[in-house]
Amino acid sequence: MAKQSILEKLQANETTPHPHDTMAEAGRKAMLHDMIQLLENETGSRSGERPEDLHQMRVATRRLRSLFKLLDAYYKSKKLKPHVEHVQRLASLLGDVRDMDVMIGALQNDDQADILPIIEKLERERGKARKKLVKFLDASEHKQFVKDFSKFLL
């Protein structure tokens, strides 16, 4: 039998919060959902083939950051702090690429002949931003974050 991936383990344990849950448990369930969304959209965010994947991954980081703030009092900050910092860095890198996607998309709706050099420059900048993002996602630090945060959530 094949070893179950982290994403598959997270998906197998996803449940919705219930009124009888403690705040810490309900928070874990909410964060688990967002972590699944983050991981499900990573491949598309890397490739750039579907800008919607990057957008959804960025949304997942934004929801996680909101949950971290909302639920801070219910967890030991020492346990959450490294995860918070990692998600903040990831969100920033995703935002850099997404901002370029949005600008390019808006400009492509205009008469492109006059602004083609601007679009080309933005595409180069987006390419650089995506390389930084992929480098971050490939780093051992990110792989360790996925393992550690998943362990926290399960």
Side-chain angles (χ1 to χ4, degrees):
M1 186 168 163
K3 185 177 176 183
Q4 196 176 27
S5 74
I6 290 176
L7 177 57
E8 291 168 332
K9 286 179 187 176
L10 293 174
Q11 290 167 329
N13 285 282
E14 185 177 20
T15 59
T16 54
H18 293 93
H20 66 275
D21 289 340
T22 64
M23 282 298 288
E25 186 58 29
R28 268 196 182 87
K29 289 177 179 180
M31 287 187 275
L32 175 63
H33 173 78
D34 293 328
M35 182 63 170
I36 290 169
Q37 295 301 305
L38 190 144
L39 295 175
E40 286 178 340
N41 289 289
E42 186 175 318
T43 300
S45 296
R46 288 171 172 274
S47 70
E49 290 177 18
R50 284 181 23 96
E52 184 61 23
D53 290 342
L54 185 124
H55 172 66
Q56 290 303 318
M57 189 173 184
R58 185 176 182 212
V59 168
T61 64
R62 293 173 79 172
R63 285 193 304 241
L64 280 169
R65 289 167 52 203
S66 293
L67 286 167
F68 290 151
K69 286 179 188 175
L70 177 69
L71 300 166
D72 181 58
Y74 300 96
Y75 302 103
K76 294 179 182 173
S77 63
K78 191 175 184 180
K79 282 194 172 236
L80 265 189
K81 187 176 180 181
H83 306 313
V84 171
E85 291 171 352
H86 189 86
V87 169
Q88 286 173 333
R89 287 193 306 275
L90 177 57
S92 177
L93 292 166
L94 289 164
D96 291 345
V97 178
R98 179 65 181 162
D99 290 348
M100 294 293 166
D101 283 344
V102 171
M103 282 191 275
I104 291 167
L107 290 173
Q108 286 177 335
N109 292 331
D110 294 335
D111 182 18
Q112 291 186 8
D114 294 338
I115 58 170
L116 189 58
I118 296 169
I119 293 172
E120 290 171 348
K121 181 175 178 13
L122 289 172
E123 286 174 342
R124 286 191 300 275
E125 292 299 317
R126 178 180 57 189
K128 289 177 189 176
R130 187 175 307 286
K131 281 182 184 178
K132 285 182 185 178
L133 171 63
V134 171
K135 184 177 179 181
F136 183 85
L137 294 173
D138 286 342
S140 61
E141 180 184 348
H142 181 68
K143 290 174 178 53
Q144 193 62 50
F145 159 77
V146 171
K147 287 179 189 175
D148 293 347
F149 192 49
S150 296
K151 189 175 180 182
F152 172 79
L153 294 172
L154 294 176

